[in-house]
Amino acid sequence: MDTVLVTGATGTVGSALIPALRARGVTVRAMTRDPGRSVPGAETVVADLRDPESVAAALNGVDAAFLNSPSAPDAAAHQMRFADLARDAGVNRLVLLSQYAAEAGSPVRFLRWHAEVEAHVQKLGIDHTVLRPNLYLQALLAFAGTIAQGFFAAPIGDAAVSAIDTRDIADAAAAVLAGTGHTGRTYTLTGPRAVTHTEIAHAISDATGRSVVFHDTSADQFAAALTGLLPPWQIDGLIEDYAHYARGEAAEVHTSVADLTGKPARDVTDFARDHAALLAV
């Protein structure tokens, strides 16, 4: 493998994927929308998924591509167009970041959108692999403000979720991009166990040395807390996501991280320890 294009290169997964690829001897081209930003350890190219000409230029001469995109109501359309452009550019391998339980008939809009992209990529005839990670543990960093006050809240009750550290997603993606034998495969990526949000609170308490508790809340209260911070479509989608978690539909544990990387997936206690400084502000 010579050069891999990483979309979303400055995001949570992309920023961890670049060093993971370099550790495997892969040359990385990092795609960013910010013309003033240079991505360490990679050739930086400026392109926007909304601008097909810039994407085509970014794809020129790469051997493989990692497809992830910012959350947007039209993200599926942009991802499908990227896949078309990758095929037209002769890219040899496409690794698509999807989501746990992506299904066309899901009541969760994000899962329907991911399923639509998966189906489109499958029809293109390009060498591709799908990664379906569960809830990101790093999403807890968005609660840092209330965690500093000793609590965080979400409409999930006592349902357990096999949440995953995004560093493990990056390591798994690097293994697929740099390895062989993954054509047409779909890997569901999870943590090593399913945990409740109360257990997550305990892990954060232990790591930070301060008492943190979890409060179950209603969907309406959760939405009200996010109003003004996120657009309405994204709030509605998150409410659907959490209803999916609360129904116990995201508790299954898979071994794909260990199978692909040769290392066990990080536990919530590892995440809390490594991010204690950010969670204790």
Side-chain angles (χ1 to χ4, degrees):
M1 191 60 60
D2 294 322
T3 303
V4 172
L5 176 68
V6 175
T7 66
T10 59
T12 308
V13 175
S15 59
L17 175 56
I18 290 169
L21 284 169
R22 286 182 54 81
R24 292 176 176 268
V26 176
T27 300
V28 182
R29 182 179 294 176
M31 187 172 123
T32 175
R33 293 176 293 176
D34 184 354
R37 189 161 188 177
S38 179
V39 179
E43 172 198 357
T44 305
V45 293
V46 178
D48 191 322
L49 290 178
R50 298 178 184 276
D51 178 4
E53 289 188 4
S54 68
V55 172
L59 285 164
N60 184 42
V62 305
D63 302 284
F66 175 75
L67 176 54
N68 184 22
S69 69
S71 186
D74 53 358
H78 295 312
Q79 290 190 3
M80 288 187 286
R81 184 167 61 191
F82 180 96
D84 292 343
L85 292 168
R87 175 201 57 195
D88 296 344
V91 173
N92 296 322
R93 181 177 303 165
L94 178 66
V95 175
L96 171 64
L97 190 68
S98 183
Q99 188 174 342
Y100 181 106
E103 292 181 5
S106 174
V108 182
R109 69 193 65 194
F110 300 140
L111 300 184
R112 294 195 302 272
W113 296 351
H114 281 299
E116 183 181 6
V117 178
E118 287 186 22
H120 181 79
V121 169
Q122 190 171 14
K123 295 175 183 176
L124 292 180
I126 189 172
D127 182 331
H128 71 280
T129 305
V130 176
L131 303 179
R132 290 180 171 182
N134 207 346
L135 173 67
Y136 295 179
L137 285 170
Q138 274 72 3
L140 292 164
L141 298 176
F143 294 104
T146 64
I147 288 173
Q149 301 173 47
F151 76 96
F152 66 104
I156 193 172
D158 60 357
V161 180
S162 53
I164 183 170
D165 192 302
T166 54
R167 293 171 295 180
D168 288 327
I169 300 172
D171 289 344
V176 171
L177 285 161
T180 59
H182 308 293
T183 301
R185 300 287 301 274
T186 296
Y187 296 106
T188 297
L189 306 178
T190 72
R193 60 185 173 121
V195 293
T196 66
H197 275 46
T198 296
E199 290 172 320
I200 292 172
H202 290 160
I204 294 173
S205 296
D206 290 343
T208 61
R210 53 173 30 170
S211 177
V212 177
V213 297
F214 168 69
H215 295 317
D216 186 34
T217 188
S218 70
D220 288 343
Q221 290 172 319
F222 190 66
L226 295 173
T227 299
L229 301 175
L230 297 174
W233 68 266
Q234 194 166 14
I235 295 173
D236 291 342
L238 286 172
I239 294 298
E240 293 167 0
D241 260 340
Y242 272 95
H244 161 65
Y245 303 142
R247 290 191 295 267
E249 297 170 353
E252 194 171 271
V253 174
H254 291 249
T255 63
S256 296
V257 169
D259 295 341
L260 290 168
T261 69
K263 302 179 297 183
R266 293 172 175 88
D267 189 70
V268 64
T269 55
D270 301 316
F271 164 82
R273 181 194 64 238
D274 295 344
H275 295 81
L278 295 174
L279 294 166
V281 293

